[in-house]
């Protein structure tokens, strides 16, 4: 029998592929939920010893937070679940190749494996454009498995942006999620840090989110990422991509 928490035994590649497909199916379900909320349909989950300890979908528009990508929220949940920022025995599944921000967080959290759906040749940071997850100058390298149920991820993204373009053609407003309303009476001491909500993001009525320190940019590594082939998949969540027909950066 294969241990979900340890190294794979010989001849277990098929079993691992089945598990990867199974957990990616859950990530796709989360991505569909994001689309229902008016968010770019990307879902992510983190697995530790065969158990899901963090799951999220994009909530950039709902939370009005540019950092609220699915991977970031799932990482926060997972760290809280095991009471440790080190996720070295964990695997992260996400429906689209992570951006540089999320890739940096994955490295810092010491994620063991990254499994993603469709690649991002314009802005992906797991081999699509950069490969931050295996940069030799960083103190952690992550195993990467691309193209798991990629066609389903691409279809979700295409459908989402096609519907957005159709609404705009018909003169309908573009739905970008329903933001949470701040309860000003419940903010309390504005000098105190906010508290984490159930979604892994700072709750809107629990005080301001503390500011982090600016980090220096680091250069591109000479190490080549995994060969993802000639992909025509969507670009960065917030920037121009394969579905951005007018190139204005809104994904439409």
């Amino acid at each position: 029998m294969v241990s979900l928490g340890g190294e794979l035994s010989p001849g277990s590649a098929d079993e691992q592929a089945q598990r990867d497909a199974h957990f990616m199916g859950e990530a796709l379900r989360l991505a569909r939920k994001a689309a229902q909320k008016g968010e770019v349909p990307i879902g992510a989950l983190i697995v530790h010893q065969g158990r899901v300890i963090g799951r999220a979908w994009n909530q950039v528009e709902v939370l009005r937070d540019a950092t609220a990508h699915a991977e970031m929220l799932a990482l926060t949940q997972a760290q809280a679940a095991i009471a440790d920022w080190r996720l070295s025995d964990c695997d992260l599944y996400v429906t689209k190749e992570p951006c540089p921000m999320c890739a940096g967080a994955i490295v810092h959290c010491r994620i063991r494996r990254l499994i993603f759906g469709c690649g991002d040749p314009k802005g992906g940071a797991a081999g699509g454009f950069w490969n931050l997850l295996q940069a030799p100058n960083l103190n952690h390298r992550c195993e990467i498995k691309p193209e798991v149920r990629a066609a389903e991820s691409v279809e979700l993204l295409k459908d989402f942006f096609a519907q957005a373009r159709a609404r705009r053609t018909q003169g309908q407003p573009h739905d970008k999620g329903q933001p949470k309303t701040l309860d000003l009476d419940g903010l309390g001491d504005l000098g105190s840090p906010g508290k984490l909500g159930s979604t892994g993001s700072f709750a809107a009525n629990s005080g301001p989110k503390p500011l982090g320190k600016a980090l220096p940019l680091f250069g591109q590594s000479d190490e080549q990422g995994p060969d993802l082939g000639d992909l025509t998949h969507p670009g960065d969540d917030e920037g121009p991509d394969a579905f951005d027909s007018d190139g204005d950066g809104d994904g439409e």
Side-chain angles (χ1 to χ4, degrees):
M1 176 171 295
V2 177
S3 171
L4 290 176
E7 295 184 359
L8 299 177
S9 60
S12 63
D14 289 343
E15 295 181 40
Q16 180 65 69
Q18 290 176 3
R19 286 197 298 274
D20 288 345
H22 167 75
F23 287 123
M24 186 60 71
E26 173 65 11
L28 286 164
R29 186 186 70 81
L30 295 167
R32 295 185 185 97
K33 183 171 291 188
Q36 294 171 0
K37 301 290 185 180
E39 299 277 358
V40 176
I42 298 175
L45 59 88
I46 297 174
V47 176
H48 177 253
Q49 296 182 352
R51 184 171 65 93
V52 176
I53 61 172
R55 70 184 78 203
W57 60 91
N58 265 8
Q59 298 182 49
V60 171
E61 302 296 345
V62 171
L63 298 178
R64 293 296 187 257
D65 181 355
T67 69
H69 288 195
E71 301 96 309
M72 302 293 285
L73 299 178
L75 287 168
T76 298
Q77 284 189 350
Q79 291 170 109
I82 65 173
D84 193 347
W85 62 266
R86 299 173 184 84
L87 303 177
S88 54
D89 293 327
C90 299
D91 300 337
L92 190 154
Y93 295 80
V94 61
T95 57
K96 175 180 167 290
E97 182 180 354
C99 70
M101 173 185 70
C102 295
I106 289 169
V107 170
H108 284 301
C109 294
R110 312 291 198 268
I111 287 290
R112 177 178 57 187
R113 297 175 67 233
L114 168 72
I115 305 93
F116 67 82
C118 64
D120 180 358
K122 289 186 177 181
F129 188 77
W130 300 279
N131 187 2
L132 302 184
L133 299 184
Q134 296 176 340
N137 56 314
L138 299 181
N139 61 357
H140 176 73
R141 293 168 189 78
C142 179
E143 179 185 339
I144 301 171
K145 184 176 181 181
E147 297 293 295
V148 175
R149 301 181 67 165
E152 295 170 74
S153 299
V154 171
E155 183 179 1
L156 275 175
L157 289 161
K158 282 185 174 179
D159 288 347
F160 177 81
F161 289 119
Q163 291 176 22
R165 285 192 293 270
R167 286 194 298 268
R168 186 171 62 181
T169 300
Q170 298 168 4
Q172 300 177 9
H174 180 50
D175 181 15
K176 289 194 173 183
Q178 297 298 322
K180 291 186 177 180
T181 302
L182 285 176
D183 179 8
L184 297 180
D185 294 331
L187 282 175
D189 182 5
L190 293 179
S192 61
K195 298 179 180 179
L196 286 174
S198 60
T199 63
S201 178
F202 280 85
N205 61 353
S206 62
K209 181 176 178 179
L211 298 178
K213 295 181 179 179
L215 297 176
L217 296 176
F218 46 89
Q220 181 175 349
S221 168
D222 292 332
E223 180 175 338
Q224 296 298 317
D227 183 12
L228 302 184
D230 182 16
L231 303 179
T232 55
H233 295 152
D236 186 77
D237 298 353
E238 300 300 322
D241 57 33
F243 307 103
D244 187 2
S245 60
D246 54 11
D248 61 1
D250 63 0
E252 298 177 25

